[in-house]
Amino acid sequence: MPPTAAIDTWLAPASAPSSTLWTLDGLRGADPVLGFAIVLLLAVVIGEALHRRLHLPRMLGHMITGALASPLAFRLLERTDLDPWKPLIDLAIGVLVFELGSRIRPRWLIDNPSLALTCVLEGAFAGIAVTVVMHAMGVPLVSAVLAGAVAMSTSPVITLGLVHEMRPRGQVTERLLITTAINCVLTMVAIKAWRVLAAADAPTWSDDLLNAATSAVFVVSGSLLLGMAAGWLLAKLSEAIRGVAAAPVLQIAVVILAATLAAQWKLSPLLALLVAGMAARRKMGHMLTVEPHLGSAGAALGVMLFISLGMLFTLDGIATLWPWVLALVAARLAGKAFAVAVLARPSGLSGRQAVALILALQPMSSLAVLLTADTLGWTAELPGVEGRMLQALLIATTLLHLVGPVLAQWALKSLADECPHANTKDH
């Protein structure tokens, strides 16, 4: 049921006794809007409890709540119940990606070529390592390449969620942000190219490869131009309005406009929004104030996003697929670790900082798939992929969404020592 139909549902007369809502079966049969509201409430409470008692990231509690409400546990909501909410979830992703772009300093990549090389190679080596290892374990090459493409990325949602919560400052944090942005873009382009090649016929493979390359150039260049135009538009409108209260509204409007146009023109919403954030920062400088999540409404969307990610968790088949899952996670870790370690000294990182960056990069992202999908179901959007490989990839994503935030928090706080507010008590 679309969210816009909620008012009609609430005004309609009840067809069953209200007491059924207080039972598990009643909650399962409740309106998805009501069910999602209850899950949202529980997520905030559980996230805060885990943070205060166990010092875990709040997002972990939000994702665990989503997992408990999903078919994985109590089945309060079905995964298909998320589809009507996808426009809002996409907005939450877009807000975070725009904010990530506004935090990136492209000049730093020019001044430090070793850092730029690290950002590219850590994703590329992770993708190649996963592809080679999975193919060696019997996975068809096309499916292994897809797993490698997804494994390249680090979750910008988890990364920014931790930055908002922990407020770290330092070399590792800045490198984490810029590396996350770059390898997510590489993953998006790789998946778009994979889709073209996966549908190619052997006799015309060379022509299809040319088409894939042409498509990638179109996507990248078009997304860059769209992002630059969106950043310029935001700067001009901000000059005309000059209202602090209106700034988040303008930013959300630009996010919606850029993401919608990118989807209509078959471009990359992720790349367009990253560039929009960078262009706006370059044009406006310190005049650009981007609040975490773009204000309280965006924060609510952020909680909804983490719940949705939790509802997509799955462990089905882990008893038989665990060798593939373990190999995928280990190969990804090895690829990223090798690139960061080799280029640590030339790029200005100590050994301790390099280890912290490697661990902080471990949360794997599913956004490259979800942002190009019409629904929140991977299987419907990636036809032709070997079923067991896709399930192993989903399980690996689940595990890294659960373990990754804890590793990243420990890396930034203890190894990198970049959290001056870590000992501040919450009030």
Side-chain angles (χ1 to χ4, degrees), residues 108 111-119 171 175 179 339-350 353-354 357:
W108 194 17
D111 295 337
N112 191 340
S114 295
L115 172 59
L117 193 58
T118 301
C119 294
Q171 283 277 321
R175 290 166 190 254
T179 304
V340 173
V342 167
L343 293 169
R345 291 293 182 183
S347 66
L349 274 187
S350 68
Q353 289 174 318
L357 179 59

Side-chain angles (χ1 to χ4, degrees), residues 236-288:
K236 288 299 181 181
L237 291 176
S238 298
E239 289 177 3
I241 294 177
R242 296 185 183 276
V244 176
V249 179
L250 281 178
Q251 291 164 11
I252 289 176
V254 169
V255 165
I256 295 174
L257 178 63
T260 303
L261 290 177
Q264 290 290 328
W265 296 341
K266 307 298 182 184
L267 302 176
S268 167
L270 188 149
L271 179 55
L273 292 173
L274 277 173
V275 174
M278 290 188 289
R281 175 64 66 187
R282 182 172 180 81
K283 183 75 173 175
M284 301 172 64
H286 294 294
M287 296 297 294
L288 176 63

Side-chain angles (χ1 to χ4, degrees), residues 97-365:
V97 171
F98 173 83
E99 182 185 347
L100 178 60
S102 72
R103 291 171 177 262
I104 293 174
R105 294 179 293 162
R107 183 70 189 179
W108 194 17
L109 297 175
I110 299 174
D111 295 337
N112 191 340
S114 295
L115 172 59
L117 193 58
T118 301
C119 294
V120 174
L121 290 186
E122 65 86 28
F125 283 1
I128 292 171
V130 169
T131 299
V132 171
V133 169
M134 300 315 298
H135 187 51
M137 296 181 71
V139 176
L141 182 58
V142 172
S143 298
V145 170
L146 173 68
V150 175
M152 292 168 63
S153 64
T154 297
S155 173
V157 172
I158 290 177
T159 298
L160 269 181
L162 285 172
V163 168
H164 290 158
E165 185 170 311
M166 300 172 64
R167 292 176 288 168
R169 294 290 184 272
Q171 283 277 321
V172 176
T173 301
E174 295 301 318
R175 290 166 190 254
L176 173 62
L177 290 171
I178 197 167
T179 304
T180 296
I182 290 176
N183 63 28
C184 282
V185 171
L186 293 176
T187 297
M188 178 71 76
V189 174
I191 289 179
K192 285 183 176 291
W194 174 88
R195 282 178 168 157
V196 175
L197 295 177
D201 295 326
T204 60
W205 192 84
S206 59
D207 293 335
D208 289 315
L209 181 60
L210 179 61
N211 291 336
T214 304
S215 176
V217 171
F218 169 75
V219 168
V220 172
S221 58
S223 301
L224 286 172
L225 291 174
L226 177 59
M228 293 173 63
W232 178 86
L233 177 63
L234 176 61
K236 288 299 181 181
L237 291 176
S238 298
E239 289 177 3
I241 294 177
R242 296 185 183 276
V244 176
V249 179
L250 281 178
Q251 291 164 11
I252 289 176
V254 169
V255 165
I256 295 174
L257 178 63
T260 303
L261 290 177
Q264 290 290 328
W265 296 341
K266 307 298 182 184
L267 302 176
S268 167
L270 188 149
L271 179 55
L273 292 173
L274 277 173
V275 174
M278 290 188 289
R281 175 64 66 187
R282 182 172 180 81
K283 183 75 173 175
M284 301 172 64
H286 294 294
M287 296 297 294
L288 176 63
T289 302
V290 182
E291 298 179 22
H293 300 291
L294 296 185
S296 57
L301 290 177
V303 175
M304 180 186 295
L305 173 57
F306 285 119
I307 292 173
S308 302
L309 292 178
M311 289 187 65
L312 298 175
F313 285 177
T314 180
L315 297 175
D316 292 341
I318 192 172
T320 57
L321 294 174
W322 68 264
W324 283 8
V325 174
L326 183 61
L328 194 156
V329 172
R332 180 177 180 272
L333 172 61
K336 289 182 177 291
F338 179 76
V340 173
V342 167
L343 293 169
R345 291 293 182 183
S347 66
L349 274 187
S350 68
R352 188 182 182 91
Q353 289 174 318
V355 174
L357 179 59
I358 291 167
L359 294 178
L361 287 168
Q362 289 314 300
M364 190 162 67
S365 176

Side-chain angles (χ1 to χ4, degrees), residues 1 4-18 21 31 34:
M1 177 182 295
T4 53
I7 296 179
D8 295 336
T9 302
W10 294 333
L11 293 178
S15 57
S18 60
L21 289 177
D31 185 280
L34 176 60

Side-chain angles (χ1 to χ4, degrees), residues 32-42:
V33 175
L34 176 60
F36 207 93
I38 295 173
V39 172
L40 188 66
L41 176 64
L42 291 175

